[in-house]
Amino acid sequence: ALFGSEPEYEEEEKMLTSENVEDGEEEEKFVDIDMIHADDEKYPIEYARDIYDNARDAEEQYNPYNIDYMSTLQIDINEGMRSILVDWLIEVADEYKLESKTLHLSISTIDRVLSKRSVKRGSLQLVGCACMLLAGKYEEIFPPTVEDYSYISDNTYTPNQVLEEERRVLQD
């Protein structure tokens, strides 16, 4: 059956609906959606809170160091250029059939690099290549090679430049 047509999902939807508060305003009530599976041994809900807490801690730990980095640290690039880089990386990930985790890790790494050091306009794509190269090594079984990143950047950067940037990213 399709998502939403099974009884457990209908039950979940009922539990997440808004309810009227005494003063007439609607307020969404909090429902612990993991409790829907409390009696099902296939869902070890006793670990759910620890998993969520760990994810929240990791998110805080790996967020960019300076959240206003585009306006305070970056002089030669702007949000639009970052957006173009991300769009290009999406195309690269699609072309090479990379895992979505690889793309997300690439973008997260780019944001952390951009929050720590100023990047010149001509090096932004190089940073993107190096970050995706690193993410692929971590997430992929058969990641694109350094030569692939040289090629997909229209040979703007040599494999040695991509590797040197990778080293620099790791040192940041």
Side-chain angles (χ1 to χ4, degrees):
L2 294 174
F3 178 80
S5 61
E6 295 180 24
E8 69 182 74
Y9 295 118
E10 291 171 10
E11 173 85 14
E12 184 175 322
E13 189 171 317
K14 287 179 193 173
M15 295 173 70
L16 293 174
T17 57
S18 299
E19 63 180 20
N20 288 329
V21 181
E22 291 177 17
D23 61 0
E25 291 182 26
E26 284 193 10
E27 179 182 297
E28 237 178 85
K29 61 182 178 178
F30 172 78
V31 176
D32 187 349
I33 61 172
D34 294 311
M35 292 308 293
I36 294 167
H37 303 291
D39 297 327
D40 190 342
E41 60 197 34
K42 294 181 292 191
Y43 297 93
I45 63 166
E46 61 270 13
Y47 302 117
R49 181 61 41 212
D50 291 334
I51 292 168
Y52 295 138
D53 289 344
N54 186 25
R56 248 186 245 96
D57 291 345
E59 183 178 17
E60 288 176 15
Q61 181 181 357
Y62 295 112
N63 269 342
Y65 301 101
N66 170 8
I67 60 172
D68 296 325
Y69 65 87
M70 289 304 286
S71 59
T72 60
L73 182 60
Q74 298 305 325
I75 300 164
D76 200 32
I77 62 172
N78 59 37
E79 291 89 351
M81 293 173 188
R82 180 195 171 277
S83 177
I84 291 168
L85 175 65
V86 169
D87 288 344
W88 180 74
L89 290 174
I90 291 168
E91 290 177 20
V92 170
D94 187 48
E95 178 70 27
Y96 284 85
K97 298 183 179 16
L98 301 179
E99 297 288 330
S100 62
K101 287 182 189 181
T102 304
L103 178 63
H104 290 229
L105 183 57
S106 301
I107 296 167
S108 175
T109 307
I110 290 166
D111 287 337
R112 284 184 276 141
V113 167
L114 295 178
S115 74
K116 290 190 85 178
R117 67 173 154 103
S118 182
V119 174
K120 297 281 185 206
R121 183 179 309 217
S123 298
L124 184 59
Q125 187 179 28
L126 179 60
V127 170
C129 288
C131 291
M132 187 167 261
L133 177 65
L134 280 168
K137 288 177 179 179
Y138 185 74
E139 296 291 346
E140 300 293 329
I141 294 172
F142 297 108
T145 66
V146 67
E147 289 81 10
D148 291 328
Y149 285 103
S150 179
Y151 172 75
I152 59 177
S153 67
D154 288 333
N155 294 310
T156 305
Y157 311 107
T158 66
N160 283 339
Q161 287 176 305
V162 176
L163 288 174
E164 185 58 40
E165 184 61 30
E166 179 188 43
R167 282 186 210 95
R168 190 167 182 201
V169 167
L170 288 171
Q171 290 171 351
D172 285 344

